[in-house]
Amino acid sequence: MNVSLRTALAAAVAATALATTLVSPAVAAESTEPLEYVALGDSYAAAPLVPPVDPSNLLCLRSLADYPHIAAKALGAELTDVSCSGATAEHFTASQYPGTKPQLDALTEETDVVSITIGGNDAGLVPAALGCVNLLAKPLGSSCAARNTKGGVDTVKAGIDAWAPKFATTLHQVRQRAPHAEVFVIGYGNYIRPGGCFPTQPIWDVDATYIQGATDHLSAVLRTTAEQGGATFVDTYSLGIGHDSCAAPADRYIEGLVPAHVATPLHPNANGSKAIGRALAAAVLTTTRTG
């Protein structure tokens, strides 16, 4: 663990301890430094439409209540959030919109923590999910699972596998820009339970199982690549059990095709972002304590 990260971790622990001790906040501030945390990624990280909106870049549809902000608050970290809706791995090194810098430009040698969620747009998961919508029950309509596996080849999973080396390159580029940082790769979540919940979510049972399986495959690729690249993978599937788009609206972490909360369809809502942010903060504290 580098000196800056060790000192910053002490700050996070001290901040937690303040709730139960008589340590002065002023003394703690003088003796410690906050974590320098940079958040990279796509709309799963940015939580588009979840209020309040980040006014610093309206094109990215980034929320001030996205999981990076939740994690940063829990850690007492200084956050630079450059996650952006619609981002692909290409936008880590190239501008996504006029006036929007490549995301990796936010990294420096002083960066202590980096979080990344990327790959959903690269793999075309959102269009694939939308292609699974069936407003009418069987046998009307057609199955996206059947279409995407025609001829015995799963085109969605094949696309994910073909993209994996690009993500490995992206992780290497992060390491080059932030050589002292702990890197956390956040997986995609529990969108819809096995068998779905037609007609609550207008996706046939076989297609619900298929599209969640494709999402799980992407998360598995992210996990494997992260571990091979020395990064820590943060699972968001298990924390979403019982909180998928089939759950009662009050229990959902992921919105369905017709959102029950102010959020983008098929994306984390405020409660989902909060749960992911807390999981990330816990992973940061666990990793840095043992690192």
Side-chain angles (χ1 to χ4, degrees):
M1 188 190 305
N2 65 77
V3 174
S4 175
L5 186 53
R6 191 179 288 116
T7 304
L9 173 60
V13 174
T16 302
L18 286 176
T20 55
T21 70
L22 299 178
V23 176
S24 165
V27 171
E30 291 174 0
S31 60
T32 58
E33 297 177 5
L35 289 163
E36 295 288 339
Y37 166 30
V38 176
L40 313 172
D42 58 20
S43 54
Y44 192 83
L49 302 186
V50 173
V53 174
D54 183 349
S56 66
N57 189 329
L58 296 178
L59 292 174
C60 284
L61 298 176
R62 189 166 52 235
S63 171
L64 292 175
D66 61 10
Y67 81 66
H69 280 84
I70 300 299
K73 183 177 181 180
L75 294 166
E78 290 188 1
L79 172 65
T80 301
D81 186 0
V82 293
S83 63
C84 193
S85 299
T88 66
E90 178 184 357
H91 299 123
F92 281 26
T93 56
S95 175
Q96 185 172 349
Y97 300 112
T100 301
K101 294 181 179 179
Q103 293 193 26
L104 293 189
D105 284 8
L107 301 175
T108 72
E109 291 192 356
E110 301 303 314
T111 302
D112 296 305
V113 173
V114 179
S115 68
I116 305 171
T117 300
I118 202 70
N121 295 312
D122 304 77
L125 276 182
V126 171
L130 293 175
C132 292
V133 172
N134 276 297
L135 298 178
L136 300 175
K138 297 176 183 178
L140 301 175
S142 61
S143 167
C144 68
R147 288 196 306 272
N148 292 329
T149 58
K150 188 176 181 180
V153 176
D154 189 322
T155 56
V156 174
K157 289 184 178 180
I160 293 170
D161 292 338
W163 173 77
K166 172 64 176 176
F167 181 57
T169 298
T170 297
L171 283 181
H172 179 68
Q173 292 167 332
V174 169
R175 289 290 187 198
Q176 288 181 314
R177 300 284 190 102
H180 306 299
E182 294 283 356
V183 180
F184 297 83
V185 176
I186 289 74
Y188 291 89
N190 187 348
Y191 285 81
I192 191 165
R193 61 195 60 179
C197 53
F198 188 91
T200 299
Q201 298 300 331
I203 300 176
W204 290 351
D205 51 1
V206 65
D207 293 338
T209 300
Y210 170 78
I211 200 64
Q212 183 60 55
T215 303
D216 295 344
H217 185 71
L218 175 57
S219 289
V221 166
L222 293 174
R223 179 192 292 272
T224 298
T225 309
E227 292 173 349
Q228 291 173 345
T232 299
F233 180 79
V234 180
D235 170 59
T236 65
Y237 179 89
S238 57
L239 64 84
I241 294 174
H243 300 285
D244 64 298
S245 62
C246 288
D251 296 328
R252 291 178 191 170
Y253 287 172
I254 297 286
E255 290 300 319
L257 290 159
V258 179
H261 303 88
V262 181
T264 301
L266 307 179
H267 285 76
N269 56 29
N271 287 335
S273 294
K274 186 179 295 183
I276 297 166
R278 288 172 174 172
L280 171 58
V284 171
L285 290 174
T286 299
T287 300
T288 51
R289 280 172 180 159
T290 58

